[in-house]
Amino acid sequence: MTVQRQERRRRHGIAVIVLVALLATVGLGRTAQAATTERIVVNRFSGLAIDGYDPIGYFIDRVPVKGLPEFEAWQGGAVWRFHNEGNRADFLAHPEVYGPQFGGYDPVDVARGVTVAGNPLLWVIAGERLYLFDLEAHRDAFAAEPERFLPEANERWPALLDTLAQ
């Protein structure tokens, strides 16, 4: 093999590595990549829960609202952002109510016995609790019949939780 051919192969290999790294960084068009080995889904680059959306916003505004860096709190191994001080105080008083259930993992997948990170833009409030979903189809099926998924998800969650980092 000629030196020129070896050099072309080396450059091609480097280009492939760079492309794979770039695609992993941008998340292939999805929201920021989350660490799915944690008890609460967090952005693996920033440490933010639910990509920095204010968990109280889902309840009050009925839409995802980005939190602000000046209203952050550390709770449950994650950094949470809020739109204002009142929202931060409400969340810290009752994180079990306002935080996404199952740590932000898709409850349809949890019911199947697997942990798949939910997307903060695919959400439902059911029974005064916030649920995040990986797929629109999961969100729609859950919204139509939460009682179809919740018993199995609640039963499987403790065992799944034991497999996640503390």
Side-chain angles (χ1 to χ4, degrees):
M1 187 179 310
T2 69
V3 173
Q4 292 172 332
R5 191 169 186 181
Q6 286 176 333
E7 180 60 22
R8 270 186 293 190
R9 280 189 166 185
R10 186 185 69 74
R11 279 185 280 164
H12 176 72
I14 291 171
V16 168
I17 291 169
V18 169
L19 178 61
V20 169
L22 178 62
L23 290 174
T25 301
V26 299
L28 298 171
R30 294 181 48 148
T31 60
Q33 295 295 302
T36 56
T37 58
E38 303 296 329
R39 290 174 173 243
I40 296 174
V41 176
V42 297
N43 178 299
R44 67 179 174 198
F45 300 111
S46 67
L48 290 174
I50 58 176
D51 282 339
Y53 285 94
D54 182 343
I56 305 292
Y58 293 94
F59 293 90
I60 294 174
D61 301 313
R62 299 292 183 186
V63 295
V65 176
K66 277 290 193 178
L68 303 170
E70 56 266 29
F71 301 114
E72 283 185 350
W74 175 263
Q75 197 284 326
V79 177
W80 300 83
R81 285 195 176 160
F82 305 91
H83 192 70
N84 57 51
E85 179 57 39
N87 287 5
R88 178 170 58 185
D90 288 346
F91 176 83
L92 291 174
H94 300 287
E96 74 285 355
V97 172
Y98 295 113
Q101 300 303 290
F102 307 113
Y105 293 95
D106 185 324
V108 174
D109 287 317
V110 170
R112 293 181 320 124
V114 295
T115 52
V116 178
N119 178 336
L121 300 178
L122 296 175
W123 60 280
V124 166
I125 293 178
E128 296 302 313
R129 296 296 186 266
L130 174 63
Y131 298 92
L132 304 180
F133 301 88
D134 179 50
L135 301 170
E136 287 182 45
H138 286 184
R139 180 199 56 202
D140 296 346
F142 184 91
E145 290 182 274
E147 65 280 357
R148 178 176 152 207
F149 300 99
L150 285 176
E152 191 70 27
N154 285 322
E155 184 177 319
R156 290 187 177 211
W157 180 240
L160 290 172
L161 196 56
D162 285 343
T163 68
L164 300 173
Q166 299 237 7

